[in-house]
Amino acid sequence: MASARVISWTAYSEESQAAADEAAIAGVARQISAQVGASTTVYHSETDYGSSAENRKTIQTHNSIRSEVFLKGLKVKKLPKEGKNFGSSASLDTDELTSLYRFKLAEIQKKVSELEVRAEKNLLNKQFEESAKLLNEISSTSQPYASIIEEMSLYTPVDASMGLKTRAAQIQDALVNDMRSVSISVEPAPASVIKLKNDEKLNIELIASHKSSALAGFTFLVEHNGKTLAEATTNSSGKASVQIAASKITTPPYEVTITPRIPLNIRKSAAIGSLKYSLQIEKPACYLKLSCSEEKNICVAIMDNISKSFGNVIESSEVAPTTVLIQAKPTRTLNQLTSYSISLSLSKGGLQCQREKTGTGRTREEAIANAIKKMELDQCQASLKICQ
């Protein structure tokens, strides 16, 4: 019934030809499960299933009867009917079936090895960011390998020699050890508080070195509240300059962090932290009269949006009014949340500015407020001279 290369099974059923086919296929599947279960060299992936491993393997085999991979190599032959019995013979060439798996494994191994060579070369050239990036690529490229091996083991015994051969862990250790020799200095040094006017800029000079030698191509990210405001890469002298307009820092806390563009796990292992600047920004006053007939939280959302880009909003009855007109059209509802297409129109002194966004909420008012928070009102503010 079975050989080292071909597994076959013949079955009969009084019910139908389809039932005979199913029985023949199931017979092949049971033999595969028995062969693999009896092997003493079954490969175990890094995931530990404990005593349920064999049961899980058997269940997976039966569940694979209708899988695309299983059917790819399966041949089902209709047999002549014997009385009331429908007959069927199923056979599977395991070499043919597993050839695709072997090809995929070889492709992953090749890509991983190539990435490792590039990662080591970049590490040798002190291109730490690129080396770390390649290590991440190795991780994502390697990820399918274990599941391919495990699925392959459903059809033929495999052993540990087929495991992925990788030096990624050693390369990462070497990267971390080398980065411990990186030094970073800044001018000015982060003070307790740096005072700036809204139209001024924060000027920062960065210097990166490795074992007292200039470190070129080392990139820093400048962030505020998780948003990247700028990035700077050191030149051949290991120097980089950053200018951040105070007007870009629109919401408290008024802090700027400077961080090397290196994955967090590697930075932590190499004991490289972030630099933080605390700022005191003198924001201008925005005298505003808003004619808004919507719910209060919607009107407040508009004022908050304006204050983000201009400064402190102060309600005043002495300035010309800015009129608000909102149209909200529901588009879809899911799990008690409704999405609306929101149109916001601001008009003042015969001029008009319109913005559109999608907002989602449990109520119309909540959806509108959420949409307004995402709108860019800088140009509206400038063209209508909303703030006086």
Side-chain angles (χ1 to χ4, degrees), residues 150-210:
E150 186 176 1
E151 191 171 339
M152 182 177 173
S153 73
L154 300 176
Y155 306 108
T156 185
V158 296
D159 56 48
S161 67
M162 295 184 66
L164 181 67
K165 298 170 181 63
T166 176
R167 305 187 314 277
Q170 294 90 325
I171 297 172
Q172 180 163 317
D173 288 343
L175 172 61
V176 169
N177 288 333
D178 216 4
M179 286 199 63
R180 291 193 177 114
S181 298
V182 172
S183 297
I184 300 168
S185 60
V186 290
E187 179 62 39
S192 55
V193 176
I194 295 178
K195 295 182 179 181
L196 292 173
K197 293 183 178 180
N198 197 58
D199 57 356
E200 291 182 331
K201 295 180 179 179
L202 174 64
N203 297 297
I204 303 172
E205 297 292 325
L206 297 149
I207 301 176
S209 61
H210 179 263

Side-chain angles (χ1 to χ4, degrees), residues 8-283:
S8 62
W9 191 264
T10 300
Y12 293 90
S13 173
E14 293 185 359
E15 183 181 341
S16 65
Q17 184 64 51
D21 292 347
E22 287 286 350
I25 294 171
V28 171
R30 284 193 298 270
Q31 289 185 82
I32 293 171
S33 178
Q35 283 190 7
V36 174
S39 172
T40 58
T41 58
V42 174
Y43 174 84
H44 294 284
S45 67
E46 292 182 2
T47 305
D48 182 14
Y49 298 104
S51 60
S52 64
E54 297 307 320
N55 289 334
R56 180 177 181 273
K57 199 176 296 295
T58 301
I59 292 169
Q60 281 187 312
T61 301
H62 286 293
N63 288 342
S64 296
I65 290 175
R66 286 298 186 187
S67 76
E68 180 181 352
V69 176
F70 184 80
L71 294 177
K72 176 179 168 57
L74 187 69
K75 294 181 176 62
V76 180
K77 182 181 178 181
K78 178 182 177 181
L79 299 178
K81 194 173 180 181
E82 295 186 2
K84 294 182 179 181
N85 291 321
F86 297 89
S88 181
S89 176
S91 63
L92 181 71
D93 188 321
T94 56
D95 285 349
E96 180 183 341
L97 179 65
T98 58
S99 62
L100 178 60
Y101 289 121
R102 297 179 192 279
F103 175 77
K104 288 182 177 180
L105 294 174
E107 283 292 294
I108 292 174
Q109 181 67 73
K110 180 182 176 182
K111 290 179 181 177
V112 166
S113 298
E114 290 172 350
L115 289 168
E116 288 173 346
V117 170
R118 291 170 56 195
E120 288 178 315
K121 183 177 179 180
N122 278 278
L123 178 55
L124 184 65
N125 294 328
K126 309 308 175 191
Q127 298 297 311
F128 299 123
E129 180 186 338
E130 185 62 22
S131 185
K133 180 181 176 183
L134 290 166
L135 283 170
N136 280 336
E137 284 189 48
I138 290 170
S139 177
S140 58
T141 302
S142 304
Q143 196 168 9
Y145 197 94
S147 60
I148 293 173
I149 283 281
E150 186 176 1
E151 191 171 339
M152 182 177 173
S153 73
L154 300 176
Y155 306 108
T156 185
V158 296
D159 56 48
S161 67
M162 295 184 66
L164 181 67
K165 298 170 181 63
T166 176
R167 305 187 314 277
Q170 294 90 325
I171 297 172
Q172 180 163 317
D173 288 343
L175 172 61
V176 169
N177 288 333
D178 216 4
M179 286 199 63
R180 291 193 177 114
S181 298
V182 172
S183 297
I184 300 168
S185 60
V186 290
E187 179 62 39
S192 55
V193 176
I194 295 178
K195 295 182 179 181
L196 292 173
K197 293 183 178 180
N198 197 58
D199 57 356
E200 291 182 331
K201 295 180 179 179
L202 174 64
N203 297 297
I204 303 172
E205 297 292 325
L206 297 149
I207 301 176
S209 61
H210 179 263
K211 295 181 180 178
S212 301
S213 297
L215 183 57
F218 199 75
T219 301
F220 294 91
L221 297 178
V222 184
E223 299 175 310
H224 166 63
N225 281 354
K227 180 181 179 181
T228 300
L229 301 179
E231 61 180 62
T233 303
T234 56
N235 57 22
S236 58
S237 301
K239 297 180 180 179
S241 299
V242 176
Q243 283 191 338
I244 302 297
S247 58
K248 284 188 175 182
I249 306 169
T250 57
T251 56
Y254 298 123
E255 294 176 344
V256 169
T257 58
I258 299 178
T259 309
R261 193 167 62 185
I262 300 288
L264 177 60
N265 63 318
I266 293 177
R267 282 195 289 108
K268 288 181 68 175
S269 298
I272 296 177
S274 298
L275 301 166
K276 182 178 290 186
Y277 287 87
S278 296
L279 309 176
Q280 182 178 317
I281 302 174
E282 184 181 323
K283 295 286 186 180

